[in-house]
Amino acid sequence: MRKMAVSLIFIITYYICAGQVRVLTTDLNNDGKLDSIILNSSNSVTISLSGFPRQPFTTKYSWTEVDSAFLATNKNDIQSKELFLKKVKGQSVILLFGNLDGAGYREGFSIINIEGNKAKMVFDNDFETIDVEIPTTSIDLNNDGKLDFVFRGLGEIIGQVDSLNANIETYHPYQVYTVDANCALNKELTKKYNEDHYVFAGYEYSEKIKILYPRNDGKPSVMK
């Protein structure tokens, strides 16, 4: 029974509230030891891997809870609404969500990548550089052992075609960023993801490209 209890300790995620500091524990580097994610404040987090120095990270904006729509379609690997954790063999990725205002702009968005017993904030952008308005998923799209982060901007309905039971929208493609030391736009995966789930007509949002979007969730298409 004692061995079973010890094993359970390693798979249960703890949430500790001590004043303004919140501590979440889980195995982040797949070594069988508990590590800590310490939420010091609304814009400061420390990653503590067991046996290694603590690594603090701070941003200029505040993080808030993970979008409920994102949690509805993505399984969080830690019991928390304050951040999203995805773990695969050899990699753990933490997503930290900035506030989304009424106009649809997200104050900021951060990604911390943990590999090789080291944590690094590989993505830390505000809406003026890369606006992560609608986070979609964090998944290894091409089975290369690296997680990919998928998001898109908000589109706008600019017309209707009732005879086709469809709306006309601005072009707002998905963006795919491979989470690694650089965490840059992966054009190949972005193109394929849009071809599979939307329509591909370039990598950037465009008001000039009109998309016919069926109201019955059918495949969108570019209007000629």
Side-chain angles (χ1 to χ4, degrees):
M1 291 295 293
R2 180 178 176 80
K3 288 184 178 179
M4 183 179 293
V6 171
S7 297
L8 284 174
I9 288 174
F10 281 91
I11 62 175
I12 294 175
T13 299
Y14 293 87
Y15 180 81
I16 304 170
C17 205
Q20 295 300 312
V21 177
R22 284 86 69 210
V23 181
L24 301 169
T25 59
T26 187
D27 184 358
L28 291 170
N29 54 351
N30 199 32
D31 63 355
K33 299 177 182 178
L34 284 176
D35 307 304
S36 299
I37 304 170
I38 305 164
L39 295 163
N40 308 298
S41 65
S42 62
N43 71 329
S44 177
V45 62
T46 297
I47 306 301
S48 179
L49 300 178
S50 180
F52 295 91
R54 291 187 174 190
Q55 295 180 259
F57 302 97
T58 302
T59 63
K60 64 181 180 182
Y61 52 80
S62 296
W63 299 308
T64 185
E65 289 188 352
V66 180
D67 292 359
S68 57
F70 187 85
L71 287 176
T73 56
N74 294 275
K75 180 183 180 298
N76 198 345
D77 286 338
I78 198 164
Q79 189 177 342
S80 174
K81 291 184 178 180
E82 293 184 281
L83 58 86
F84 182 87
L85 172 67
K86 182 68 174 180
K87 296 193 286 185
V88 295
K89 185 178 180 180
Q91 183 183 33
S92 291
V93 171
I94 297 170
L95 307 182
L96 294 153
F97 290 59
N99 182 60
L100 187 67
D101 67 21
Y105 296 107
R106 190 176 297 276
E107 187 177 32
F109 198 94
S110 303
I111 300 176
I112 296 175
N113 184 41
I114 301 166
E115 286 186 277
N117 299 319
K118 185 176 181 180
K120 180 181 180 182
M121 185 173 285
V122 295
F123 187 99
D124 184 30
N125 295 88
D126 57 33
F127 71 89
E128 293 182 346
T129 51
I130 301 174
D131 190 8
V132 183
E133 293 176 340
I134 309 175
T136 303
T137 191
S138 179
I139 192 172
D140 183 358
L141 288 171
N142 57 350
N143 299 311
D144 66 349
K146 297 285 188 181
L147 286 167
D148 303 294
F149 175 57
V150 184
F151 67 95
R152 73 195 303 198
L154 290 167
E156 182 181 358
I157 297 176
I158 55 177
Q160 298 177 329
V161 183
D162 291 335
S163 61
L164 297 176
N165 191 30
N167 294 326
I168 302 171
E169 299 185 356
T170 54
Y171 177 64
H172 55 296
Y174 292 96
Q175 308 283 314
V176 179
Y177 278 65
T178 296
V179 183
D180 55 17
N182 298 315
C183 199
L185 178 70
N186 188 318
K187 289 190 173 182
E188 181 181 351
L189 289 181
T190 294
K191 184 174 185 293
K192 186 177 188 308
Y193 194 90
N194 280 286
E195 289 172 342
D196 292 344
H197 299 277
Y198 183 51
V199 61
F200 183 72
Y203 297 98
E204 302 294 336
Y205 171 91
S206 175
E207 296 179 351
K208 296 180 179 179
I209 301 173
K210 297 179 175 58
I211 304 299
L212 188 69
Y213 210 116
R215 297 171 191 152
N216 61 0
D217 293 328
K219 190 91 167 57
S221 59
V222 178
M223 293 189 68
K224 303 298 183 180

